[in-house]
Amino acid sequence: MNTPQGVSPATFATALKAFAQVVGTDWVFSSAEDLGSYRDAYSPLRGLPDERTASAAVAPASAEEVQAVVRIANQHGIPLYPISTGKNLGYGGSAPARSGDVVLDLKRMNRIIEVNDSNHYCIVEPGVSYFDLYAYIQKKGLKVWIDCPDPGWGSLIGNALDHGVGHTASRYRNHFDAHCGMEVVLANGEAVRTGMGALPKAQTWGQFKMGFGPVLDGLFSQSNFGIVTKMGFWLMPEPEAVMTGWVMAPRYEDLHGVVETLKYVENSGLASGAPEMSSPLLGTGTSMEMVKMFFDGPPKLAARHGELVAGAKLGFSPELQRYGLDQQIPYWQLHMTFYGPPKVIEAQWDAVQSLATKAIKDVRFQAGKIHAGPEMKQAADRFEIYPQNIGMPNLEFFGMGTRAGGNPHPMSGHMWFSPVIPQTAEAIFEVNRVFDEAVRTIPALQRVPVLGLRPFALPTVFIERSFMAILGFPVSDDPKMNQALVQAFRELIRVGAEHGWGEYRTPTIFQDQAASVYSYSNHSLLRLQEAIKDAVDPKGILSPGRYGIWPKQLRKRRAA
Ligand SMILES: Cc1cc2nc3c(=O)[nH]c(=O)nc-3n(C[C@H](O)[C@H](O)[C@H](O)COP(=O)(O)OP(=O)(O)OC[C@H]3O[C@@H](n4cnc5c(N)ncnc54)[C@H](O)[C@@H]3O)c2cc1C
């Protein structure tokens, strides 16, 4: 039997027995076969000695059982790694951040405590997936939308705690920001409720985020300070209608006008739907167009068009631009989603058009149909609008890695490199210049494919006010290639940080490095985080090393 690092087999056996007395023997897993499901299916270290694997897993069914398990873990010094549904593929999956730690699997805690479609919020347990909540809302005919990530199989809580993101209105897309109230079990087994949940008779746990006194909720996201057993989320009231509109800009330099339009529209609240940028001229698409490409293959460009794209540098050549102008193929396209009563949508679209007309020379527009009422879902089913834009969960995005019509060479997984960059066109051009040079000149990067960089990387706009320049690293079954990927990823973190671009989230194997570049004033932020760690979890039993935060006794072992 594998044991957690520094724990003797006898102590471990005693702890597992005690866990079983709390959760039942069926819910303590230690056989190699059972633990296989807690391996990170996308790990580039899969099968290698450094792969992060669990020594056991325990699956409690209630917050009280979580408390009892934590008290036992504390008594015996057993490190626990809580997961909600454990679907964090691309960022570590369900494997612990440190090998040997015991996965605390919260999937069985799958109660939807409340969905309020008058005040528009829900309170759920960690095992509730986006599919579960969506099905519940549909079954009861409630008039609220969820906001889900591309794949809908994960949990609201796990996704939000890892700072996950979705696709509806800006207020809901940033999942941690959209939360309201938490229940957290601390390392000593005590349960704490944040916000109005701390006031026993309050009816406002899902309504008023701040409660009274310092807001501590952020301490429990991307950290290892507690185990979240309930969480509230604000939900979007179902709008009357939805419409997509495209702003089409003809020239390379027009990216400035596109970004200025996007910022003003979003930051002023003129339209709240997820904006996306694409380049029809360079053959890159929005999320919906990407899903179509996974299944149907990339757009078939005319031979001359394809040659010009291949010959462009940083996505540009005068000939390519000329070709686009002659053929009326936009260089850039801003895809916007509008919600509300049809008259409001029409007014929003008018306002966007007049703003873009001032910002972009020779701009053109195209509006989709206004889909109202049940027609919204039908349009999403027909894939005329992106289902996630109206909170309909699905798994189509997995087409990016699996064998699909347009994707004959499946990957074994992928990792996202996800730096935050300024929300300006200058930054987009700079990111392309810097990363293009990096992949041409840095040996570790020359050896591996980096997805999304060529012919030109357009960032995503999941979270308001900044961009994320997300690039993909395809994991394969070749250990040598995977090791090269890890090295290359590390190089990109380093290069990004040199330019002030840091990860918003990263696979567990890179968390030490990604945290280390947030180094202002001799790493004062990390030192504060670790002071908190020492205070709330002195034995270091919760997710040691997650997001680069190590308990005192393990700090010397921090990876480079
Ligand atoms: C093709 C593809 C597309 C994707 N697109 C998106 C996307 O659009 N948006 C997006 O956000 N992600 C995306 N992802 C990443 C991932 O699939 C989702 O974020 C997924 O929702 C996370 O899984 P989960 O909800 O099961 O979280 P979990 O795996 O349960 O949790 C994530 C981490 O949070 C911590 N944690 C979880 N629960 C608790 C708890 N109760 N208490 C304390 N700590 C806890 C743990 O450290 C855990 O490892 C994508 C992945 C793939 C493969």
Side-chain angles (χ1 to χ4, degrees):
M1 186 202 299
N2 285 334
T3 58
Q5 295 179 33
V7 176
S8 74
T11 304
F12 194 43
T14 308
L16 290 186
K17 220 170 173 184
F19 290 153
Q21 275 162 5
V22 175
V23 300
T25 44
D26 284 352
W27 301 107
V28 176
F29 307 104
S30 56
S31 72
E33 193 184 1
D34 284 340
L35 293 178
S37 63
Y38 295 101
R39 288 175 72 183
D40 174 10
Y42 281 20
S43 173
L45 304 176
R46 213 172 153 81
L48 297 173
D50 286 352
E51 182 185 346
R52 315 277 161 102
T53 54
S55 57
V58 185
S62 66
E64 291 72 26
E65 288 188 7
V66 172
Q67 289 180 279
V69 166
V70 169
R71 288 197 181 104
I72 295 163
N74 224 325
Q75 186 189 346
H76 298 286
I78 309 292
L80 298 173
Y81 187 81
I83 57 167
S84 288
T85 46
K87 301 286 195 285
N88 209 11
L89 295 182
Y91 295 105
S94 46
R98 186 183 68 141
S99 236
D101 292 353
V102 173
V103 170
L104 185 69
D105 181 349
L106 305 176
K107 261 192 235 78
R108 290 174 72 210
M109 296 173 57
N110 60 358
R111 276 162 292 227
I112 295 170
I113 315 281
E114 184 184 1
V115 178
N116 184 321
D117 78 339
S118 167
N119 293 93
H120 311 119
Y121 68 83
C122 67
I123 296 177
V124 295
E125 288 190 334
V128 175
S129 72
Y130 292 100
F131 279 122
D132 295 336
L133 185 61
Y134 181 77
Y136 178 97
I137 289 169
Q138 296 308 304
K139 192 166 162 210
K140 301 218 173 243
L142 303 175
K143 297 289 172 205
V144 278
W145 280 0
I146 64 166
D147 184 287
C148 54
D150 277 313
W153 65 346
S155 62
L156 281 85
I157 292 187
N159 182 280
L161 293 181
D162 210 32
H163 295 179
V165 288
H167 293 269
T168 66
S170 38
R171 173 181 283 178
Y172 308 96
R173 288 202 304 273
N174 175 344
H175 292 161
F176 189 75
D177 245 19
H179 98 276
C180 184
M182 285 178 157
E183 179 184 88
V184 189
V185 172
L186 301 178
N188 61 5
E190 194 170 13
V192 172
R193 288 186 173 184
T194 66
M196 299 309 291
L199 179 61
K201 287 204 169 165
Q203 310 277 305
T204 43
W205 198 15
Q207 295 178 24
F208 186 67
K209 293 184 181 200
M210 287 176 289
F212 191 74
V215 178
L216 301 180
D217 298 42
L219 288 180
F220 303 105
S221 75
Q222 291 199 347
S223 75
N224 46 18
F225 301 151
I227 300 163
V228 178
T229 46
K230 287 184 191 65
M231 208 160 156
F233 292 92
W234 285 352
L235 300 174
M236 180 166 165
E238 185 177 309
E240 265 182 51
V242 63
M243 188 196 93
T244 48
W246 290 264
V247 176
M248 294 172 286
R251 296 177 186 80
Y252 191 69
E253 279 304 309
D254 293 336
L255 193 57
H256 293 278
V258 167
V259 174
E260 292 311 303
T261 305
L262 178 163
K263 283 193 286 196
Y264 187 85
V265 170
E266 179 141 276
N267 296 350
S268 61
L270 205 56
S272 63
E276 289 198 70
M277 290 180 291
S278 63
S279 173
L281 190 59
L282 294 169
T284 69
T286 60
S287 302
M288 186 161 91
E289 288 157 350
M290 271 154 67
V291 171
K292 285 186 178 156
M293 286 184 218
F294 301 151
F295 292 95
D296 303 334
K300 290 179 184 52
L301 305 182
R304 174 74 184 137
H305 186 174
E307 279 165 29
L308 289 170
V309 172
K313 290 216 163 57
L314 300 177
F316 178 77
S317 74
E319 297 78 19
L320 177 64
Q321 178 161 289
R322 186 70 260 154
Y323 183 88
L325 287 164
D326 292 345
Q327 304 290 323
Q328 297 238 313
I329 305 172
Y331 227 116
W332 313 116
Q333 199 156 262
L334 174 61
H335 172 274
M336 312 207 81
T337 306
F338 302 87
Y339 305 109
K343 278 192 178 160
V344 172
I345 289 178
E346 279 162 13
Q348 288 175 332
W349 181 228
D350 276 353
V352 167
Q353 290 180 83
S354 73
L355 274 166
T357 304
K358 284 184 206 132
I360 306 163
K361 193 174 157 219
D362 303 326
V363 64
R364 290 186 294 130
F365 303 100
Q366 189 186 325
K369 192 175 161 228
I370 296 184
H371 301 283
E375 230 276 292
M376 291 190 272
K377 265 172 70 185
Q378 292 157 12
D381 283 337
R382 291 191 302 267
F383 222 56
E384 285 168 29
I385 53 175
Y386 193 49
Q388 286 87 330
N389 284 154
I390 65 164
M392 277 173 72
N394 61 76
L395 295 177
E396 301 292 304
F397 216 83
F398 276 101
M400 100 167 258
T402 52
R403 185 176 284 110
N407 189 10
H409 306 294
M411 307 185 267
S412 304
H414 59 251
M415 303 183 290
W416 303 120
F417 171 69
S418 322
V420 177
I421 65 163
Q423 202 171 54
T424 61
E426 287 85 352
I428 302 175
F429 289 129
E430 174 78 348
V431 156
N432 276 277
R433 196 187 58 69
V434 168
F435 289 149
D436 181 78
E437 189 182 319
V439 300
R440 280 187 294 102
T441 57
I442 299 177
L445 282 154
Q446 287 168 334
R447 290 198 291 271
V448 303
V450 179
L451 307 178
L453 184 58
R454 290 193 176 133
F456 190 84
L458 279 168
T460 59
V461 203
F462 285 121
I463 290 181
E464 292 171 282
R465 312 252 168 184
S466 61
F467 285 142
M468 286 174 205
I470 298 182
L471 301 175
F473 283 77
V475 174
S476 72
D477 287 337
D478 173 356
K480 278 217 171 78
M481 182 51 130
N482 288 342
Q483 277 169 322
L485 284 182
V486 171
Q487 232 190 320
F489 200 109
R490 291 195 182 286
E491 287 294 333
L492 271 198
I493 295 178
R494 182 184 60 72
V495 172
E498 279 170 12
H499 292 82
W501 309 323
E503 299 291 273
Y504 94 101
R505 176 185 187 187
T506 202
T508 40
I509 57 173
F510 303 115
Q511 288 177 354
D512 276 328
Q513 188 193 356
S516 76
V517 305
Y518 286 80
S519 60
Y520 168 75
S521 185
N522 187 22
H523 305 270
S524 56
L525 180 62
L526 188 56
R527 284 187 286 113
L528 172 62
Q529 289 162 346
E530 291 189 331
I532 295 170
K533 180 72 179 167
D534 294 341
V536 297
D537 181 14
K539 285 197 178 172
I541 60 154
L542 297 185
S543 306
R546 182 165 191 251
Y547 276 86
I549 304 166
W550 288 93
K552 201 172 29 236
Q553 50 280 37
L554 296 176
R555 227 158 269 163
K556 277 202 210 108
R557 298 172 58 184
R558 174 178 284 133

